[in-house]
Amino acid sequence: MVRTPERRVAVFGAGYIGLVTGACFAELGHHVVVRDIDPEKVALLRSGEVPIYEPGLGDMIARNKERLTFTLDLEETLDGAEIAYVCVDTPPSASGDADLSRLWSVVRSLEGATRLKAVVVKSTVPVGTGARVRAALDEAGLSHVGYAANPEFTAEGRAVEDFLHPDRVVIGAADDATARLIEELHAGVDGPVVVMDVRSAEMVKLASNALLATKISFINEIATLCEKTGADVEEVAKAVGLDHRLGPHFLRPGIGWGGSCFPKDSEALRQLASNTGYHLQLLSAVIEVNNLQKRRAIQKLQDELGTLTGKRVALLGLTFKPGTDDMREAPSTVLAARLLAEGAEVRCWDPMARPPAAEPWSSTTRHETPELAVEGADAAIVVTEWPQLREADWAHAAAVMRRPVLFDGRNLLDPAAMRALGFTYMSVGRP
């Protein structure tokens, strides 16, 4: 793409996606104002602190401070803005549908912003949302403002890289002028641009995450079958992944997927289908397998230890994946809650996690190192594949545990080496 003149961009929402979007557009040379309604978050950002952990993001924000502004003020946000990006949360509502209240709050706030050329929704929304937003803009006297869906495909831990070097930039627009404007805005991004209609763009994000979740649940089912037949899921996955039609990505067995996208988007797609009268049988099974996978970890400990009442169990890693501080839908939350319900004492270690001050975490203890977390424990579970766990002093850990029982929920460690240290070692899908 050919570099075009800088644009003035308003980003609504200083959450994970909003911050990455705003910082990356500033890196591309645009002037960006990011608005949020949380005074504490805006104050932190203005002081140079980033409220989330994402490699490279803090440096990028600091590098572009002349082109990147954070504010609570709506008028400042829209002053001179040509393009408004909506990057707000769309969490599940009580009915299971996406809660679009924050999105509609932003749309209503745009009334009178006559200098805008386009409104772009980056938030994950149900298919058909764009048509409703288009109608609302028309009613607000903004019929001259284009509308586009530009879903995000950024993975936590590499979001900056994913934005600047994506597999694809998906733009869903009803008119060619808006599509060209958003494509020009991404000039300098190293990735192909795919232009389509709005509804298809809205579907792409949900379908992509559902397919990735399906691959994970599939290999977890194969792992369970490997345990029952004596096969090794690591060898199976390696050979399956060499098939060019399938590829190796997301064929790693474990204790299930979590995070801000896979659970929410899978449920949103299933709910969208239900609202049309169609039942997504495959996706329902994918979700069920994932829910069961976390509970199978507890069953493995019960098979080895018997009752968990009075037992001390260490959870090693709390975030849903390494390289992030995100606890949203993390498998560790289910594991901690189930262990406490069974009467166990739960000890925890994680280098980045910031769990909420509520149950189950208020009933657990945090420790500075994995070795301290396992001290006096009857069992430990590797929950998150932090690289620090590969380098931990496992010989010392085995010596200070009451019973050296270890369930490696991410197949991170070498089985023979761990057994040689005296561990009763269990993993996922390996004999």
Side-chain angles (χ1 to χ4, degrees):
M1 292 183 285
V2 179
R3 180 168 290 281
T4 55
E6 64 187 39
R7 299 286 187 179
R8 302 191 71 85
V9 183
V11 175
F12 288 85
Y16 189 86
I17 299 304
L19 282 180
V20 172
T21 299
C24 287
F25 277 142
E27 180 80 358
L28 293 173
H30 304 295
H31 285 268
V32 182
V33 179
V34 180
R35 185 198 184 209
D36 202 275
I37 60 174
D38 183 341
E40 183 178 351
K41 184 185 295 184
V42 171
L44 279 174
L45 289 163
R46 283 176 169 173
S47 70
E49 294 186 50
V50 181
I52 61 172
Y53 175 74
E54 179 61 39
L57 180 59
D59 290 341
M60 181 177 284
I61 289 174
R63 188 165 59 246
N64 292 283
K65 60 183 179 180
E66 300 301 321
R67 288 193 296 268
L68 185 58
T69 304
F70 301 98
T71 186
L72 295 164
D73 186 73
L74 176 63
E75 187 174 338
E76 181 183 2
T77 307
L78 293 174
D79 184 22
E82 301 168 86
I83 303 162
Y85 258 81
V86 184
C87 302
V88 296
D89 282 350
T90 54
S93 66
S95 67
D97 297 292
D99 179 355
L100 301 181
S101 57
R102 295 177 181 88
L103 180 145
W104 291 120
S105 178
V106 173
V107 172
R108 286 192 296 270
S109 73
L110 299 178
E111 187 172 357
T114 55
R115 292 190 61 180
L116 279 178
K117 296 180 179 179
V119 174
V120 187
V121 170
K122 204 161 193 67
S123 304
T124 304
V125 296
V127 178
T129 300
R132 295 170 57 198
V133 174
R134 174 71 273 167
L137 293 174
D138 292 344
E139 291 175 8
L142 299 174
S143 57
H144 64 285
V145 177
Y147 177 83
N150 177 215
E152 54 86 15
F153 302 99
T154 50
E156 294 188 35
R158 50 165 296 135
V160 170
E161 178 72 13
D162 283 345
F163 189 101
L164 296 176
H165 305 278
D167 293 329
R168 74 288 201 199
V169 176
V170 173
I171 300 171
D175 63 275
D176 292 340
T178 300
R180 283 195 302 272
L181 176 62
I182 306 309
E183 182 172 359
E184 290 170 359
L185 189 68
H186 286 80
V189 168
D190 178 26
V193 174
V194 184
V195 178
M196 60 188 70
D197 64 278
V198 173
R199 289 176 183 265
S200 296
E202 291 168 338
M203 181 65 84
V204 168
K205 173 64 186 301
L206 297 172
S208 295
N209 279 345
L211 181 55
L212 295 176
T214 299
K215 292 187 72 172
I216 298 171
S217 285
F218 174 79
I219 201 63
N220 279 334
E221 287 228 280
I222 295 300
T224 300
L225 193 56
C226 284
E227 291 176 8
K228 295 182 179 297
T229 60
D232 186 333
V233 72
E234 299 285 334
E235 299 298 332
V236 172
K238 185 190 304 180
V240 168
L242 289 173
D243 189 322
H244 71 278
R245 299 169 299 174
L246 304 172
H249 304 297
F250 290 83
L251 289 179
R252 287 188 55 82
I255 54 176
W257 34 266
S260 61
C261 288
F262 283 6
K264 178 174 72 72
D265 291 354
S266 296
E267 289 288 358
L269 188 58
R270 182 164 68 166
Q271 187 65 39
L272 177 67
S274 297
N275 291 343
T276 68
Y278 182 68
H279 176 58
L280 286 175
Q281 299 181 62
L282 177 59
L283 186 55
S284 294
V286 166
I287 294 169
E288 181 181 359
V289 168
N290 192 62
N291 291 337
L292 290 173
Q293 196 70 8
K294 303 159 194 170
R295 287 160 174 77
R296 291 190 69 247
I298 305 300
Q299 186 61 54
K300 283 177 179 284
L301 294 192
Q302 291 173 321
D303 290 344
E304 184 64 34
L305 301 175
T307 178
L308 296 179
T309 301
K311 300 296 195 302
R312 180 179 291 176
V313 181
L315 298 181
L316 304 179
L318 302 181
T319 58
F320 85 95
K321 63 183 285 189
T324 180
D325 59 358
D326 199 340
M327 290 287 297
R328 286 177 289 182
E329 299 292 335
S332 63
T333 303
V334 175
L335 295 176
R338 288 296 310 130
L339 287 167
L340 291 168
E342 293 292 336
E345 174 191 343
V346 179
R347 297 161 67 87
C348 306
W349 168 83
D350 191 286
M352 294 299 304
R354 290 180 281 188
E359 292 293 345
W361 303 114
S362 57
S363 296
T364 68
T365 57
R366 292 286 298 277
H367 300 272
E368 290 296 318
T369 67
E371 292 85 356
L372 288 173
V374 303
E375 190 170 330
D378 297 282
I381 304 176
V382 174
V383 184
T384 312
E385 59 271 38
W386 285 103
Q388 293 93 320
L389 292 175
R390 284 198 178 93
E391 303 159 5
D393 189 344
W394 288 107
H396 174 75
V400 299
M401 290 180 72
R402 192 154 57 195
R403 292 183 62 177
V405 174
L406 178 64
F407 173 57
D408 186 351
R410 298 298 181 182
N411 290 1
L412 183 72
L413 306 169
D414 178 71
M418 299 308 293
R419 292 187 180 112
L421 292 175
F423 280 99
T424 299
Y425 177 84
M426 302 169 285
S427 56
V428 183
R430 296 192 290 187

